[in-house]
């Protein structure tokens, strides 16, 4: 993460700032992991593809003198009515871009409570010590089709052997 960096994008409005505040625990956690504070990027609402390209060039790419310092892990907060799908597609061309969007929880006064809960749960589980070796379950539907047989021979069987090897060597 220290080489790839991490960034968060939110709509450039009060709702976007509230979403960023709600995931502050996650922003701090990524800073701990990478050694770099991820200052959020606030994106104009509803950018078209051409506007997204221009924003990327003039704001995102201009934020780092060295292109190698641009964050490749990118989290977009909110639904498509805020940070647009064309923006996500433009940013995701050479990065690992995902989106986190929650509807407000029914009957709650804080519409960003789900974002807070997500950030808190994620950071809590990342910090929790592992209780011991995990378990893996590999599934294959044996339906007799050639594609399933090939999938078993090319993916499941070698994957199972590699996993057993890694467990034996202590890598997992």
């Amino acid at each position: 993460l220290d080489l790839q960096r991490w960034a968060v994008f939110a709509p450039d409005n009060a709702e976007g700032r509230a979403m960023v505040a709600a995931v502050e625990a996650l922003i701090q956690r990524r800073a701990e992991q990478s050694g770099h504070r991820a200052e959020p990027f606030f994106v104009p609402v509803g950018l078209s593809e051409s506007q997204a390209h221009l924003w990327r060039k003039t704001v995102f790419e201009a934020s780092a003198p060295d292109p190698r310092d641009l964050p490749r892990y990118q989290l977009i907060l909110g639904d498509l009515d805020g940070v647009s799908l064309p923006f996500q597609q433009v940013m995701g061309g050479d990065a690992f871009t995902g989106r986190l969007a929650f509807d407000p929880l029914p009957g709650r006064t804080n519409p960003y409570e789900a974002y807070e809960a997500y950030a808190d749960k994620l950071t809590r589980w990342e910090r929790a010590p592992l209780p011991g070796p995990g378990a893996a379950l590999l599934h294959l539907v044996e339906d007799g089709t050639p594609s399933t047989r090939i999938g078993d021979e090319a993916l499941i069987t070698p994957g199972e052997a590699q996993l057993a090897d890694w467990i034996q060597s202590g890598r997992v």
Side-chain angles (χ1 to χ4, degrees):
L1 193 58
D2 61 325
L3 296 176
Q4 299 293 325
R5 311 274 177 121
W6 185 84
V8 62
F9 299 90
D12 190 7
N13 56 26
E15 183 179 353
R17 284 181 263 300
M19 284 187 273
V20 167
V23 298
E24 181 59 33
L26 180 57
I27 293 170
Q28 288 180 12
R29 176 68 176 149
R30 294 296 176 259
E32 291 169 16
Q33 293 171 316
S34 70
H36 306 281
R37 167 85 180 161
E39 293 302 326
F41 289 94
F42 291 100
V43 181
V45 172
L47 290 181
S48 68
E49 182 180 357
S50 60
Q51 291 168 325
H53 279 288
L54 181 61
W55 187 95
R56 177 188 170 116
K57 187 86 173 152
T58 59
V59 178
F60 180 70
E61 291 177 6
S63 72
D66 186 338
R68 293 173 295 186
D69 291 336
L70 289 170
R72 293 193 66 213
Y73 287 101
Q74 303 171 355
L75 176 63
I76 297 172
L77 298 176
D79 215 334
L80 297 172
D81 61 345
V83 177
S84 68
L85 181 59
F87 175 86
Q88 182 173 343
Q89 292 169 328
V90 165
M91 296 304 292
D94 61 353
F96 312 107
T97 306
R99 182 181 294 268
L100 185 64
F102 292 108
D103 288 330
L105 296 173
R108 305 293 178 97
T109 57
N110 178 357
Y112 308 104
E113 188 174 350
Y115 290 92
E116 290 173 3
Y118 174 86
D120 291 342
K121 181 178 181 179
L122 182 61
T123 56
R124 185 176 64 251
W125 278 98
E126 283 185 358
R127 286 188 174 101
L130 295 174
L137 185 57
L138 306 177
H139 284 279
L140 177 72
V141 176
E142 294 182 7
D143 62 2
T145 62
S147 57
T148 301
R149 182 183 47 75
I150 292 168
D152 183 29
E153 293 170 1
L155 181 64
I156 299 295
T157 299
E160 188 175 30
Q162 184 176 45
L163 183 58
D165 229 23
W166 287 354
I167 290 170
Q168 182 69 27
S169 69
R171 291 179 65 190
V172 173

